[in-house]
Each structure stands twice: as C-alpha cells, then as structure tokens.
Amino acid sequence: MSKFRIVNLNVWFGGVHSLREVNLEVQANEILSVIGPSNSGKTTFIRMLNRLNELQLNFRMAGDLNLDSVSINKIDVEELRRRVGMVFALPLPLPLSIFDNVAYGPRMQGVINKNKLKEIVESCLKQAYLWDEVKDRLDISAFKLSGGQQQRLCIARTLAVEPEVILFDEPCSGLDPISTAKVEEAMLKLKQRYTIVLVTNNVKQAARVGDRTAFFLNGELIEVDQTDKIFTAPGDQRTDDYISGKFG
C-alpha cells in the first residue's frame, strides 16, 4: 500500500530547477533509501514530504504529492509535520533534560498526566534504543549525552508525537560506527510501525537498511528498485557507476 504517491513532481528555487519530473511511490512500512551525489536533489526531495522547502525563498513546485491519497497541500502544515516527522543530520536536542525533550511534544498536544508522560518517554526511548543507557539519569541535560545518544534522543522525541512517517536526512553523517549501528538497528525495528525515508551519502548504509533504494542524479530520479537489485544489477549504468565509486 502506498503511503506517498509522487506524480510529475518539479521543484524550483528561483531559476534553479532542483527536481525534474519525479514519479515515485513510497510504500507503507518500508525503508526507502535515497542515494545520490551532492546536489542530486535527494535532500530537496525528502524535504518536500513535509513541506519544509516552503520555508525557502523563491520556492515553487508543480505536480502532485499525496499522503494517503490526499494532497499534502490540503493538509494543515502543523498536522502534516506531526504525521511526517524528521530527524536531521546534526542532532538538535532542546536545552532541556532528557525526559523533557521527549515529553515536549506530548505536552504541547495537551498531555499533562505525569504517569502518562512517563509511559510515553520510556516507550519512545526504548524504541530509539536509548532507554538502557539513560534510564537512571533522565533529569540531566540532553547536552551531556554523546552525539550518537543525542541523535537517538531526537528519534525518541520524534516518536513521542506519534508520527506515521519518519524522514531521516543523513542521520549518521557525524556519528562513529558504533553509534551508526545503533541508529540503523533502531530504524530496522521502527519500520514495523512506521514508514521510513532515509537520505544517506553512505551507499553501504543504504544497502544495509533499505528495502528499496532510489538513485537521484542532477535533480532526476534515475531509478528505484529493490535494494538488492539496485546494488547487484542496476538498470542504469549511471547507478552502477555511482555505487561503484566512479563518481560522487
């Protein structure tokens, strides 16, 4: 079942044509890896899924982008960004305690019962594979955590508002291999309940976690297919050249 359906999507920033005629469906409960060199359009693409590009000057789009068969332009933007959460390349914890970082969203939604908040915080930290590391120090500042722990805290904070989709924009770009492995482990578990779109510059990461992989180049979607096929028998020579390191 399609979660997102993108038809003839074009995006411009002023005179720059950033995405060209993109046609793609994102399936429910899959991890879609999005790969491509710098300036290929992959970050522009993922930011389209919760309308973050609208914050940029001279943004313009054409085409259709539907979430559960409804145009995202017809969904209230705050509601859309609750349903479609995003984890960025650099972890951005709030200047609060670990507990209050995760509880922030539910509190904004009107949850005030302390026991309910405790349940939400524990559940989300467990899903983000962070609970065992922080359960005895939930009242300390989030800034005292390591970079990898901060990124998993940001995942927990995203989960706390009960999204349907989680967008990851190069979430492991600044992390060491051990922290990266923990984030990937969390993603693989989370796809049971959420749809995940992962933009990554690490083709090995795309191969490890993606159910399907989409390759972007110069603003065009070159191909999308099952990850094992993309990495063993891609349909386009440019995909093979990128994966094999001939450019990028």
Side-chain angles (χ1 to χ4, degrees):
M1 185 178 74
S2 295
K3 193 66 178 173
F4 281 106
R5 185 168 181 264
I6 297 107
V7 180
N8 298 334
L9 177 65
N10 287 268
V11 174
W12 296 265
F13 296 100
V16 178
H17 199 171
S18 296
L19 289 179
R20 303 170 183 269
E21 295 295 320
V22 174
N23 290 276
L24 177 63
E25 292 190 9
V26 181
Q27 305 299 323
N29 300 104
E30 77 167 343
I31 298 178
L32 176 69
S33 294
V34 180
I35 62 173
S38 297
N39 300 314
S40 62
K42 58 188 188 294
T43 292
T44 297
F45 168 73
I46 198 174
R47 289 169 65 92
M48 285 301 301
L49 300 181
N50 67 352
R51 293 173 55 182
L52 277 178
N53 287 322
E54 294 178 10
L55 300 174
Q56 305 224 27
L57 290 174
N58 302 315
F59 163 78
R60 182 166 59 91
M61 69 166 282
D64 297 318
L65 205 169
N66 297 323
L67 172 63
D68 291 335
S69 301
V70 177
S71 170
I72 63 168
N73 293 319
K74 294 181 179 179
I75 303 173
D76 176 79
V77 70
E78 289 187 7
E79 173 65 11
L80 177 67
R81 290 176 187 158
R82 184 200 66 76
R83 294 174 61 187
V84 184
M86 191 160 188
V87 177
F88 297 92
L90 293 176
L92 299 168
L94 301 171
L96 303 168
S97 69
I98 295 170
F99 183 96
D100 288 338
N101 261 269
V102 183
Y104 183 85
R107 282 177 172 145
M108 292 298 100
Q109 294 177 343
V111 179
I112 58 175
N113 182 279
K114 290 184 178 180
N115 288 330
K116 179 63 176 175
L117 287 170
K118 287 179 180 178
E119 290 176 10
I120 292 171
V121 170
E122 180 174 347
S123 173
C124 294
L125 288 172
K126 284 180 175 177
Q127 289 182 76
Y129 283 72
L130 186 57
W131 174 253
D132 289 341
E133 298 169 38
V134 302
K135 61 184 178 182
D136 297 322
R137 49 190 182 128
L138 296 175
D139 58 341
I140 71 165
S141 168
F143 294 134
K144 292 187 177 180
L145 297 176
S146 69
Q149 289 172 327
Q150 287 185 18
Q151 191 64 295
R152 282 178 284 147
L153 178 64
C154 291
I155 294 172
R157 191 178 72 208
T158 299
L159 297 176
V161 295
E162 300 182 335
E164 301 164 26
V165 180
I166 307 173
L167 311 176
F168 289 91
D169 189 7
E170 300 179 27
C172 302
S173 60
L175 303 185
D176 61 75
I178 293 175
S179 295
T180 294
K182 289 183 177 180
V183 172
E184 290 177 2
E185 186 177 6
M187 281 192 279
L188 289 168
K189 190 73 173 177
L190 289 170
K191 76 172 183 178
Q192 297 175 16
R193 297 179 59 184
Y194 309 93
T195 299
I196 293 174
V197 181
L198 166 67
V199 164
T200 178
N201 284 325
N202 185 335
V203 294
K204 292 181 179 179
Q205 180 175 68
R208 286 192 297 265
V209 303
D211 296 298
R212 292 190 304 145
T213 295
F215 172 57
F216 280 75
L217 181 65
N218 297 326
E220 297 182 17
L221 174 60
I222 303 303
E223 66 177 307
V224 57
D225 211 328
Q226 297 297 314
T227 293
D228 56 355
K229 185 177 180 188
I230 286 282
F231 280 86
T232 58
D236 191 288
Q237 185 62 44
R238 292 168 293 179
T239 309
D240 190 43
D241 289 346
Y242 176 72
I243 290 171
S244 61
K246 291 181 180 178
F247 71 93

